Amino acid sequence: MAAAPPAPKDLKEMRSLIAEYVWVGGRGEMRSKARVFHRDGTLASDLKFEKPEDLPVWNYDGSSTEQAPGEDSEVLLYPVAIYADPFRGAPHILVMSEARAPGGEPVKCNYRSWAKSVFDQLLDEKPWFGIEQEFFLMNPKTGKPAGFPEDGSDPAPQFQYYCAAGAENSFGRAVVEEHLEACIYAGIAISGINAEVAPGQWEYQIGPCEGISSGDELCMSRYILNRVAEKHGYAINIHPKPVAGDWNGSGCHTNFSTSSMRKEGGLAVIKKAMEALAPAHMDHMKLYGSDNQLRMTGIHETASYDKFTFDIANRGCSVRIGRDTEADGKGYFEDRRPASNMNPYLVTGMLFKTCCVPSAPLPSL
C-alpha cells in the first residue's frame, strides 16, 4: 500500500478551500455537506467567494431528507449567505443554501423565497428582528435534559437554574460558551446567551437582523449549535415541551419593529399592528411551530394557544410591549407565541405580512 501524502502543517497552507453547504431538511432539521474547491498554483486564501452568487449551485439526494421522491431525487442547493467556518478556520466557509427542485420551485420546509417576496414588497420599512432561541441540552443515553438525575428521579424544582452559576445549577455551559464564540467567529449577529428556567435549558439571541437575513442567521446558528453539541456528546432538543410536568417549555420569542415603529409616534403604529394581529391569530399559530399547544397553556410564562392578547410588560400575553417602548413612544414589540422549533422564515414573513403587507399571500405548506 502506498503511503498517505503528508498532512499539511495547517489547513491554511492547503491549495484548496472547503465550503460546507447548509440547508433546512424536510423536518425542519439542519443538514450539510462539504465541497472542496481546488485551484492549482494558488493558495486557498486566493480562492475568494465574496458573495453567494460566486459559488456554484450544488445538489443532494432529496429522497433521504423527505424532500423528493426516489425516482426523481435531485434537489438543488442555491447559496444565499456566506459565513466564516468556525470549525475548520480560515479560509474555509459555511454556505447557507436554499433547497429547490430542478424546476426551481422550493421544496418541503423551504419558505425563504416566500418570506423574501413579502419583504421585497415594502423595503423602505426595513423590518428588524431579534429572535430568542430556547433549547434543551439532552443526554443521549438517558433521553433526559442535562442536569436530570440518571436514576430517573426528579431534580430540584425550577427556580434555581435561571441565569445561575455553579455545578448544582448550570449544566452544559461549555457547549453554550463555545457556540457563542463560534457564532461570533462566523460573523453571525448573536447578541447574548443565558441559562433558562429548567435544568439543561438555555437561550441565545440572534439579532437585530434586517429582513431575510434574520432567517438565514438563525438557521446557521442552529447548525453551529448542533455541531458544537455533537462534539461534547449532547443532543439538541428544540421541541416546545420536551419535559412534561411543572417545567417551562421552549419558545422562540421574536422581537419585531419597522422603520415606522422606530420613529416618533411609533407606539401608535405598534398598537395598529395589534389590531391586525388579533384577527390573524390562528393563521399565525398554524405556522409558529409544531406541538406549540403543549407549551402555550396560559401558565409557565405563556398565553393561551387559541386567544390573542397583548399588554405592557406582561409575559403572560401573546405579545408584550416593553416599558421602554411605552416610555419612548416608539420601538418594538415581542411576539411570544413562536415555538422553539419554528421556521424563522415563516415567523418573520408572517409578522411583516400581517402588520405591513396584508395583501401578500399566505405561504403554501
Side-chain angles (χ1 to χ4, degrees):
M1 177 183 291
K9 295 178 182 178
D10 191 297
L11 278 175
K12 295 177 185 178
E13 297 180 10
M14 294 174 64
R15 298 182 184 275
S16 305
L17 180 146
I18 305 168
E20 191 80 24
Y21 282 58
V22 179
W23 72 95
V24 180
R27 297 185 182 181
E29 77 285 4
M30 302 311 302
R31 304 263 184 165
S32 79
K33 57 187 296 191
R35 181 166 182 172
V36 181
F37 295 92
H38 301 284
R39 185 180 293 166
D40 293 337
T42 65
L43 295 175
S45 58
D46 296 323
L47 276 168
K48 293 181 179 178
F49 297 111
E50 295 181 349
K51 54 187 184 298
E53 305 86 70
D54 295 337
L55 285 151
V57 174
W58 204 14
N59 64 75
Y60 66 94
D61 172 17
S63 68
S64 296
T65 63
E66 299 183 357
Q67 292 171 300
E71 63 271 15
D72 188 13
S73 65
E74 188 170 290
V75 175
L76 303 180
L77 288 171
Y78 288 82
V80 296
I82 298 173
Y83 303 92
D85 187 336
F87 305 108
R88 297 185 176 105
H92 310 293
I93 55 177
L94 303 179
V95 183
M96 191 64 216
S97 305
E98 186 176 348
R100 291 176 168 272
E105 61 274 15
V107 298
K108 181 182 178 184
C109 287
N110 174 13
Y111 301 106
R112 189 183 189 277
S113 292
W114 169 80
K116 189 173 185 302
S117 73
V118 176
F119 293 135
D120 286 351
Q121 293 188 42
L122 204 56
L123 292 173
D124 288 346
E125 277 293 354
K126 299 185 182 301
W128 291 358
F129 300 94
I131 301 179
E132 306 168 22
Q133 176 70 68
E134 295 179 334
F135 62 94
F136 275 87
L137 287 170
M138 306 294 286
N139 181 333
K141 295 179 180 178
T142 65
K144 293 181 179 295
F148 274 60
E150 294 191 9
D151 62 8
S153 60
D154 290 329
Q158 58 183 33
F159 166 74
Q160 66 193 63
Y161 311 106
Y162 176 70
C163 294
E168 73 280 18
N169 300 321
S170 176
F171 309 98
R173 186 182 296 276
V175 173
V176 180
E177 291 285 349
E178 188 172 328
H179 174 251
L180 172 64
E181 293 181 8
C183 284
I184 292 171
Y185 180 94
I188 290 171
I190 190 167
S191 49
I193 57 173
N194 61 269
E196 267 300 335
V197 175
Q201 187 184 35
W202 292 84
E203 176 188 301
Y204 65 90
Q205 301 90 37
I206 296 294
C209 299
E210 185 174 324
I212 200 66
S213 67
S214 181
D216 294 340
E217 301 223 349
L218 185 73
C219 284
M220 187 57 76
S221 74
R222 285 176 172 176
Y223 171 76
I224 293 173
L225 177 62
N226 276 276
R227 285 284 303 273
V228 173
E230 170 191 318
K231 172 184 171 182
H232 288 270
Y234 287 103
I236 298 298
N237 189 313
I238 58 171
H239 188 277
K241 190 69 174 179
V243 185
D246 192 19
W247 301 102
N248 276 32
S250 295
C252 226
H253 304 154
T254 301
N255 300 278
F256 170 60
S257 71
T258 63
S259 178
S260 298
M261 295 175 189
R262 296 188 294 270
K263 293 177 180 177
E264 294 301 322
L267 183 58
V269 180
I270 290 173
K271 290 183 176 179
K272 192 73 174 175
M274 299 304 105
E275 295 176 9
L277 286 168
H281 177 64
M282 290 313 298
D283 286 337
H284 282 248
M285 296 312 301
K286 292 173 185 175
L287 302 174
Y288 271 22
S290 59
D291 293 329
N292 203 13
Q293 73 281 1
L294 301 178
R295 163 183 161 262
M296 294 192 64
T297 59
I299 58 175
H300 299 123
E301 298 182 282
T302 68
S304 295
Y305 179 85
D306 57 0
K307 181 181 179 182
F308 180 83
T309 55
F310 75 94
D311 200 358
I312 306 295
N314 187 343
R315 284 178 164 75
C317 285
S318 309
V319 169
R320 179 183 67 88
I321 300 171
R323 292 284 185 197
D324 52 349
T325 296
E326 180 188 36
D328 294 342
K330 59 184 178 180
Y332 69 97
F333 65 83
E334 177 193 37
D335 189 345
R336 297 180 58 80
R337 298 172 295 173
S340 48
N341 60 6
M342 61 81 148
N343 183 302
Y345 301 112
L346 284 177
V347 169
T348 57
M350 281 297 293
L351 277 169
F352 194 67
K353 166 188 158 47
T354 300
C355 296
C356 302
V357 195
S359 61
L362 289 167
S364 299
L365 300 180

